């Protein structure tokens, strides 16, 4: 069973340097490699600078410009201007090319750094000349990045390697890249990558952050019925992953708003993990875990409207899903098929697969939709005591942060009963 603890003694090679095609990394390919590397390093205002001082067609005719903003000792933010010239070669970079690049850089006012990057090497005489040039010119500071330097930097940023040289990543590297893309860029991983990681899930030690990234990516791509990540975690691990998801919900929501990204996968991730933990612990314990994580342990001093603002999107998503799947075969519910639900709803007959680890193919998404009318003369399929006066607790219930434990109790009963029914049909 996978856990969410990483071994501190295990050495893992995430990037396979021999698989990075440095010999073919020339012109635009080298520029793109350095571009995305700077992006991963946190560069701002990163752009191509058309018509650079390189060798025209041989270098792609472009250079890069990037800005970094760093705090000074008195906490003032100071901008740094970086230029990059890429020299893709079959052999050692010509000394004259480096000389020309550095001398041309003097014409740029306010330039702090110039990087000359190559897929090969710089000769010792070239490096000696650069040292002498630097001693006579305080700015810009010069950095020579050869293939070995690029290799070391790429090894620290698997997300760049995944983007450009996916075959050069080990399995652990792909997991780290998946984590980095989600948490740093709020980018979701494609099904192909998720499937590769899923197939090797028993050989990987997952931490909480890549697990959240995997689950959110599944919901971004559709649903989680094909790769049931929650089913491979033990109770402590589910609690840790849920805690990580909930404590970062405000951060992820802000990032989604800033980037124009749909927040639905994040909300569905939290709802799914809550259902997973309800299979393992009581509703009361789950409620305590949710509130402590989502409110950062400060629920007592937090205004009611703020608590509801953070909690209700998750709880409403959870209840909405259960209303759809639990009412589908309920004799107490009469469905008007003329209404149409969102395409984001999971296909009802494959919904409960998400809680049991399988290697089966995922069913197609359904476009089911219903307007439901509740009958009062039929029993509840999952055992709730219902009558004419007391309807299905999944409907007409107004969840708040104050009645979370009661809501989760209802959810727990539905989840346990429905999973038992689903397993009995297999």
């Amino acid at each position: 069973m996978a856990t969410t603890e990483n071994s501190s003694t295990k050495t893992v090679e995430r990037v396979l340097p021999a698989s990075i095609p440095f010999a073919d990394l020339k012109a635009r390919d080298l520029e793109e490699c350095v571009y995305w590397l700077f992006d991963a390093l946190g560069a701002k205002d990163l752009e191509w600078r058309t018509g650079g001082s390189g060798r025209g067609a041989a270098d792609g005719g472009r250079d890069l410009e990037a800005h970094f903003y760093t705090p000074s000792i008195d906490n003032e933010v100071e901008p740094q201007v970086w230029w990059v010239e890429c020299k893709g070669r079959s052999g050692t970079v010509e000394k004259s090319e480096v000389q020309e690049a550095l001398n041309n850089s003097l014409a740029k006012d306010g330039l702090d750094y110039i990087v000359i990057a190559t897929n090969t090497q710089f000769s010792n005489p070239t490096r000696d000349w650069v040292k002498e040039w630097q001693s006579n010119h305080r700015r810009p500071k010069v950095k020579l990045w050869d293939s070995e330097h690029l290799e070391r930097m790429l090894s620290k940023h698997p997300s760049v390697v995944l983007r450009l040289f996916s075959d050069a990543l080990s399995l652990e590297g792909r997991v780290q890249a998946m984590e980095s893309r989600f948490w740093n860029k709020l980018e979701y991983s494609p099904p192909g990558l998720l499937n590769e990681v899923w197939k090797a899930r028993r050989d990987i030690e997952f931490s909480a952050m890549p697990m959240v990234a995997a689950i959110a990516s599944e919901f971004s791509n559709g649903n989680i019925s094909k790769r049931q990540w929650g089913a491979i975690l033990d109770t402590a691990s589910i609690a840790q992953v849920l805690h990580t998801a909930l404590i970062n919900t405000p951060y992820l929501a802000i990032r989604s708003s800033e980037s124009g990204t749909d927040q639905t996968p994040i909300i569905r991730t939290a709802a799914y993990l809550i259902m997973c933990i309800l299979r393992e612990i009581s509703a009361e314990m789950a409620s305590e875990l949710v509130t402590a994580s989502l409110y950062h342990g400060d629920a007592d001093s937090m205004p009611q409207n703020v608590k509801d603002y953070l909690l209700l999107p998750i709880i409403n998503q959870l209840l909405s899903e259960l209303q759809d799947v639990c009412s589908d075969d309920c004799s107490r519910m009469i469905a008007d098929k003329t209404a149409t639900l969102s395409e984001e709803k999971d296909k009802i007959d494959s919904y409960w697969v998400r809680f049991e680890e399988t290697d089966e193919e995922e069913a197609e998404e359904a476009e089911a939709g219903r307007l439901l009318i509740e009958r009062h003369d039929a029993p509840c399929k999952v055992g709730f005591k219902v009558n004419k006066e007391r309807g299905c607790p999944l409907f007409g219930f107004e969840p708040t942060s104050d009645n979370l434990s009661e809501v989760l109790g209802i959810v727990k009963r539905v989840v346990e009963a429905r999973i038992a029914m689903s397993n009995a049909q297999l």
Side-chain angles (χ1 to χ4, degrees):
M1 179 174 290
T3 67
T4 58
E5 298 298 324
N6 279 329
S7 171
S8 59
T9 59
K10 182 179 179 181
T11 301
V12 177
E13 186 176 30
R14 294 183 171 86
V15 177
L16 310 175
S19 298
I20 299 178
F22 283 110
D24 300 325
L25 207 59
K26 301 175 184 177
R28 185 183 181 92
D29 292 336
L30 178 58
E31 290 181 355
E32 288 188 357
C33 176
V34 177
Y35 178 96
W36 290 113
L37 187 54
F38 266 80
D39 181 68
L41 291 168
K44 306 298 182 183
D45 307 320
L46 185 58
E47 61 183 20
W48 303 109
R49 189 166 56 85
T50 305
S53 59
R55 294 180 59 184
D59 290 321
R62 302 184 303 176
D63 302 303
L64 302 175
E65 181 172 335
H67 294 179
F68 288 90
Y69 297 89
T70 58
S72 63
I73 58 174
D74 58 353
N75 290 325
E76 293 289 334
V77 176
E78 297 179 345
Q80 294 180 348
V81 181
W82 291 58
W83 269 11
V84 183
E85 292 218 9
C86 297
K87 308 293 182 182
R89 297 292 186 268
S90 298
T92 303
V93 177
E94 304 91 331
K95 179 180 177 181
S96 60
E97 285 295 309
V98 176
Q99 292 172 327
E100 181 182 2
L102 297 190
N103 289 330
N104 287 338
S105 71
L106 296 175
K108 170 68 174 178
D109 292 333
L111 182 61
D112 297 294
Y113 290 89
I114 180 169
V115 175
I116 302 177
T118 183
N119 61 321
T120 56
Q121 298 84 32
F122 300 97
S123 67
N124 287 332
T126 298
R127 292 182 180 276
D128 291 339
W129 184 88
V130 168
K131 289 180 181 179
E132 183 178 352
W133 186 92
Q134 189 77 84
S135 66
N136 296 320
H137 301 87
R138 178 173 166 268
R139 295 175 65 189
K141 293 185 178 180
V142 184
K143 294 183 179 292
L144 299 180
W145 291 4
D146 58 14
S147 59
E148 292 184 1
H149 189 93
L150 287 175
E151 178 185 303
R152 289 195 297 272
M153 298 190 73
L154 289 170
S155 296
K156 297 177 181 178
H157 298 280
S159 60
V160 179
V161 181
L162 178 65
R163 184 185 295 273
L164 301 172
F165 326 107
S166 58
D167 291 342
L169 278 180
S170 67
L171 190 59
E172 288 79 5
R174 292 169 190 255
V175 173
Q176 184 177 345
M178 178 175 66
E179 173 186 352
S180 176
R181 289 175 65 172
F182 177 75
W183 290 100
N184 296 332
K185 301 289 184 181
L186 202 60
E187 294 179 355
Y188 298 108
S189 296
L193 173 60
L194 293 167
N195 194 48
E196 289 180 7
V197 176
W198 175 257
K199 288 179 178 179
R201 60 191 179 276
R202 295 180 180 84
D203 301 321
I204 302 174
E205 294 179 345
F206 288 98
S207 65
M209 293 182 73
M211 183 60 71
V212 173
I215 295 172
S217 295
E218 294 289 3
F219 284 120
S220 175
N221 294 321
N223 66 43
I224 200 166
S225 295
K226 184 176 181 180
R227 293 170 288 270
Q228 311 86 12
W229 297 98
I232 68 174
L233 301 174
D234 57 30
T235 304
S237 298
I238 296 173
Q240 185 179 354
V241 176
L242 174 60
H243 172 75
T244 300
L246 291 176
I247 202 171
N248 286 286
T249 293
Y251 159 77
L252 294 173
I254 292 173
R255 290 293 303 272
S256 296
S257 177
E258 290 177 346
S259 63
T261 306
D262 184 14
Q263 296 183 23
T264 304
I266 298 169
I267 301 301
R268 296 187 74 183
T269 295
Y272 170 67
L273 288 167
I274 289 174
M275 283 191 277
C276 288
I277 199 64
L278 282 171
R279 298 188 65 194
E280 308 293 334
I281 63 178
S282 68
E284 291 76 15
M285 292 178 63
S287 177
E288 292 176 3
L289 173 60
V290 169
T291 54
S293 301
L294 193 60
Y295 305 145
H296 295 243
D298 194 29
D300 292 340
S301 62
M302 189 173 291
Q304 183 72 34
N305 63 330
V306 175
K307 292 192 289 186
D308 287 345
Y309 178 80
L310 294 174
L311 176 67
L312 292 188
I314 300 171
I315 299 304
N316 287 334
Q317 174 68 39
L318 196 159
L319 289 176
S320 176
E321 291 182 10
L322 292 185
Q323 288 167 0
D324 291 331
V325 295
C326 194
S327 64
D328 183 65
D329 63 348
C330 180
S331 60
R332 192 173 175 83
M333 293 294 174
I334 303 173
D336 179 356
K337 300 288 185 177
T338 59
T340 309
L341 294 180
S342 168
E343 292 181 5
E344 295 173 351
K345 297 296 183 185
D346 294 332
K347 189 172 183 180
I348 291 174
D349 59 6
S350 66
Y351 184 87
W352 300 109
V353 177
R354 64 182 57 194
F355 299 105
E356 304 294 337
E357 183 181 6
T358 71
D359 288 300
E360 296 179 2
E361 293 297 318
E362 181 180 20
E364 294 294 327
E365 292 285 326
E367 292 187 31
R370 296 151 302 160
L371 176 62
L372 296 173
I373 302 173
E374 185 174 2
R375 295 173 52 187
H376 298 295
D377 58 349
C380 172
K381 199 158 187 175
V382 300
F384 285 115
K385 293 182 179 180
V386 291
N387 49 44
K388 290 182 179 181
E389 289 74 30
R390 184 175 182 177
C392 174
L394 285 175
F395 295 87
F397 194 92
E398 293 294 334
T400 69
S401 56
D402 290 334
N403 60 17
L404 178 59
S405 180
E406 182 181 355
V407 174
L408 295 187
I410 294 170
V411 171
K412 180 178 176 66
R413 183 164 182 173
V414 173
V415 170
E416 291 179 340
R418 282 295 181 175
I419 290 177
M421 295 177 196
S422 177
N423 291 339
Q425 294 173 0
L426 297 179

